[in-house]
PDB file of all heavy atoms in Angstrom:
ATOM      1  N   THR A1557     -16.605  25.307 -49.172  1.00 98.00           N
ATOM      2  CA  THR A1557     -15.783  26.097 -50.093  1.00 98.00           C
ATOM      3  C   THR A1557     -16.290  26.030 -51.524  1.00 98.00           C
ATOM      4  O   THR A1557     -16.986  25.087 -51.912  1.00 98.00           O
ATOM      5  CB  THR A1557     -14.317  25.591 -50.092  1.00 98.00           C
ATOM      6  OG1 THR A1557     -14.277  24.293 -50.689  1.00 98.00           O
ATOM      7  CG2 THR A1557     -13.758  25.517 -48.692  1.00 98.00           C
ATOM      8  N   SER A1558     -15.903  27.034 -52.270  1.00 98.00           N
ATOM      9  CA  SER A1558     -16.297  27.060 -53.667  1.00 98.00           C
ATOM     10  C   SER A1558     -15.352  27.967 -54.433  1.00 98.00           C
ATOM     11  O   SER A1558     -15.049  29.065 -53.965  1.00 98.00           O
ATOM     12  CB  SER A1558     -17.712  27.623 -53.721  1.00 98.00           C
ATOM     13  OG  SER A1558     -18.265  27.379 -54.945  1.00 98.00           O
ATOM     14  N   GLN A1559     -14.888  27.456 -55.565  1.00 97.00           N
ATOM     15  CA  GLN A1559     -14.101  28.341 -56.419  1.00 97.00           C
ATOM     16  C   GLN A1559     -15.076  29.075 -57.335  1.00 97.00           C
ATOM     17  O   GLN A1559     -15.833  28.432 -58.071  1.00 97.00           O
ATOM     18  CB  GLN A1559     -13.111  27.544 -57.286  1.00 97.00           C
ATOM     19  CG  GLN A1559     -12.288  28.482 -58.138  1.00 97.00           C
ATOM     20  CD  GLN A1559     -11.427  27.840 -59.222  1.00 97.00           C
ATOM     21  OE1 GLN A1559     -11.418  28.302 -60.349  1.00 97.00           O
ATOM     22  NE2 GLN A1559     -10.686  26.801 -58.879  1.00 97.00           N
ATOM     23  N   VAL A1560     -15.094  30.390 -57.266  1.00 97.00           N
ATOM     24  CA  VAL A1560     -15.893  31.166 -58.215  1.00 97.00           C
ATOM     25  C   VAL A1560     -14.926  32.133 -58.883  1.00 97.00           C
ATOM     26  O   VAL A1560     -14.476  33.107 -58.281  1.00 97.00           O
ATOM     27  CB  VAL A1560     -17.063  31.905 -57.534  1.00 97.00           C
ATOM     28  CG1 VAL A1560     -17.845  32.705 -58.562  1.00 97.00           C
ATOM     29  CG2 VAL A1560     -17.995  30.904 -56.848  1.00 97.00           C
ATOM     30  N   ALA A1561     -14.575  31.787 -60.105  1.00 96.00           N
ATOM     31  CA  ALA A1561     -13.499  32.509 -60.770  1.00 96.00           C
ATOM     32  C   ALA A1561     -14.046  33.639 -61.622  1.00 96.00           C
ATOM     33  O   ALA A1561     -14.910  33.433 -62.464  1.00 96.00           O
ATOM     34  CB  ALA A1561     -12.715  31.531 -61.638  1.00 96.00           C
ATOM     35  N   CYS A1562     -13.561  34.847 -61.381  1.00 95.00           N
ATOM     36  CA  CYS A1562     -13.820  35.923 -62.328  1.00 95.00           C
ATOM     37  C   CYS A1562     -12.501  36.648 -62.586  1.00 95.00           C
ATOM     38  O   CYS A1562     -11.593  36.599 -61.770  1.00 95.00           O
ATOM     39  CB  CYS A1562     -14.932  36.866 -61.880  1.00 95.00           C
ATOM     40  SG  CYS A1562     -14.826  37.489 -60.224  1.00 95.00           S
ATOM     41  N   LYS A1563     -12.454  37.291 -63.748  1.00 95.00           N
ATOM     42  CA  LYS A1563     -11.186  37.930 -64.121  1.00 95.00           C
ATOM     43  C   LYS A1563     -10.998  39.240 -63.366  1.00 95.00           C
ATOM     44  O   LYS A1563      -9.884  39.628 -63.051  1.00 95.00           O
ATOM     45  CB  LYS A1563     -11.187  38.209 -65.631  1.00 95.00           C
ATOM     46  CG  LYS A1563     -11.124  36.946 -66.458  1.00 95.00           C
ATOM     47  CD  LYS A1563     -10.823  37.283 -67.922  1.00 95.00           C
ATOM     48  CE  LYS A1563     -10.717  36.021 -68.751  1.00 95.00           C
ATOM     49  NZ  LYS A1563     -11.999  35.301 -68.869  1.00 95.00           N
ATOM     50  N   CYS A1564     -12.098  39.929 -63.081  1.00 95.00           N
ATOM     51  CA  CYS A1564     -11.977  41.228 -62.405  1.00 95.00           C
ATOM     52  C   CYS A1564     -11.579  41.006 -60.943  1.00 95.00           C
ATOM     53  O   CYS A1564     -11.630  39.886 -60.439  1.00 95.00           O
ATOM     54  CB  CYS A1564     -13.301  41.984 -62.501  1.00 95.00           C
ATOM     55  SG  CYS A1564     -14.617  41.274 -61.516  1.00 95.00           S
ATOM     56  N   ASP A1565     -11.223  42.117 -60.282  1.00 95.00           N
ATOM     57  CA  ASP A1565     -10.782  42.011 -58.894  1.00 95.00           C
ATOM     58  C   ASP A1565     -12.005  41.966 -57.964  1.00 95.00           C
ATOM     59  O   ASP A1565     -12.177  42.816 -57.086  1.00 95.00           O
ATOM     60  CB  ASP A1565      -9.888  43.230 -58.574  1.00 95.00           C
ATOM     61  CG  ASP A1565      -9.234  43.110 -57.203  1.00 95.00           C
ATOM     62  OD1 ASP A1565      -9.267  42.001 -56.630  1.00 95.00           O
ATOM     63  OD2 ASP A1565      -8.714  44.125 -56.715  1.00 95.00           O
ATOM     64  N   GLY A1566     -12.857  40.996 -58.193  1.00 96.00           N
ATOM     65  CA  GLY A1566     -14.053  40.837 -57.369  1.00 96.00           C
ATOM     66  C   GLY A1566     -14.009  39.491 -56.673  1.00 96.00           C
ATOM     67  O   GLY A1566     -13.071  38.713 -56.857  1.00 96.00           O
ATOM     68  N   PHE A1567     -15.040  39.224 -55.875  1.00 97.00           N
ATOM     69  CA  PHE A1567     -15.093  37.918 -55.209  1.00 97.00           C
ATOM     70  C   PHE A1567     -16.504  37.635 -54.729  1.00 97.00           C
ATOM     71  O   PHE A1567     -17.287  38.550 -54.480  1.00 97.00           O
ATOM     72  CB  PHE A1567     -14.118  37.861 -54.029  1.00 97.00           C
ATOM     73  CG  PHE A1567     -14.389  38.883 -52.955  1.00 97.00           C
ATOM     74  CD1 PHE A1567     -15.221  38.597 -51.884  1.00 97.00           C
ATOM     75  CD2 PHE A1567     -13.821  40.154 -53.022  1.00 97.00           C
ATOM     76  CE1 PHE A1567     -15.484  39.541 -50.900  1.00 97.00           C
ATOM     77  CE2 PHE A1567     -14.074  41.108 -52.045  1.00 97.00           C
ATOM     78  CZ  PHE A1567     -14.907  40.799 -50.977  1.00 97.00           C
ATOM     79  N   MET A1568     -16.775  36.354 -54.617  1.00 98.00           N
ATOM     80  CA  MET A1568     -18.069  35.938 -54.076  1.00 98.00           C
ATOM     81  C   MET A1568     -17.893  35.618 -52.601  1.00 98.00           C
ATOM     82  O   MET A1568     -16.789  35.275 -52.162  1.00 98.00           O
ATOM     83  CB  MET A1568     -18.569  34.718 -54.845  1.00 98.00           C
ATOM     84  CG  MET A1568     -20.020  34.415 -54.588  1.00 98.00           C
ATOM     85  SD  MET A1568     -20.694  33.212 -55.747  1.00 98.00           S
ATOM     86  CE  MET A1568     -21.386  34.271 -56.992  1.00 98.00           C
ATOM     87  N   CYS A1569     -18.956  35.729 -51.825  1.00 98.00           N
ATOM     88  CA  CYS A1569     -18.856  35.493 -50.377  1.00 98.00           C
ATOM     89  C   CYS A1569     -20.180  34.939 -49.859  1.00 98.00           C
ATOM     90  O   CYS A1569     -21.239  35.226 -50.427  1.00 98.00           O
ATOM     91  CB  CYS A1569     -18.529  36.802 -49.668  1.00 98.00           C
ATOM     92  SG  CYS A1569     -19.480  38.222 -50.274  1.00 98.00           S
ATOM     93  N   TYR A1570     -20.110  34.125 -48.805  1.00 98.00           N
ATOM     94  CA  TYR A1570     -21.334  33.552 -48.222  1.00 98.00           C
ATOM     95  C   TYR A1570     -21.047  33.052 -46.818  1.00 98.00           C
ATOM     96  O   TYR A1570     -19.904  33.110 -46.350  1.00 98.00           O
ATOM     97  CB  TYR A1570     -21.893  32.426 -49.121  1.00 98.00           C
ATOM     98  CG  TYR A1570     -20.885  31.369 -49.499  1.00 98.00           C
ATOM     99  CD1 TYR A1570     -20.542  30.350 -48.628  1.00 98.00           C
ATOM    100  CD2 TYR A1570     -20.267  31.395 -50.754  1.00 98.00           C
ATOM    101  CE1 TYR A1570     -19.608  29.380 -48.978  1.00 98.00           C
ATOM    102  CE2 TYR A1570     -19.327  30.429 -51.110  1.00 98.00           C
ATOM    103  CZ  TYR A1570     -19.011  29.424 -50.214  1.00 98.00           C
ATOM    104  OH  TYR A1570     -18.080  28.476 -50.555  1.00 98.00           O
TER     105      TYR A1570
END
Side-chain angles (χ1 to χ4, degrees):
T1557 68
S1558 195
Q1559 181 190 134
V1560 179
C1562 49
K1563 291 192 178 67
C1564 70
D1565 187 13
F1567 60 91
M1568 194 168 266
C1569 43
Y1570 52 80

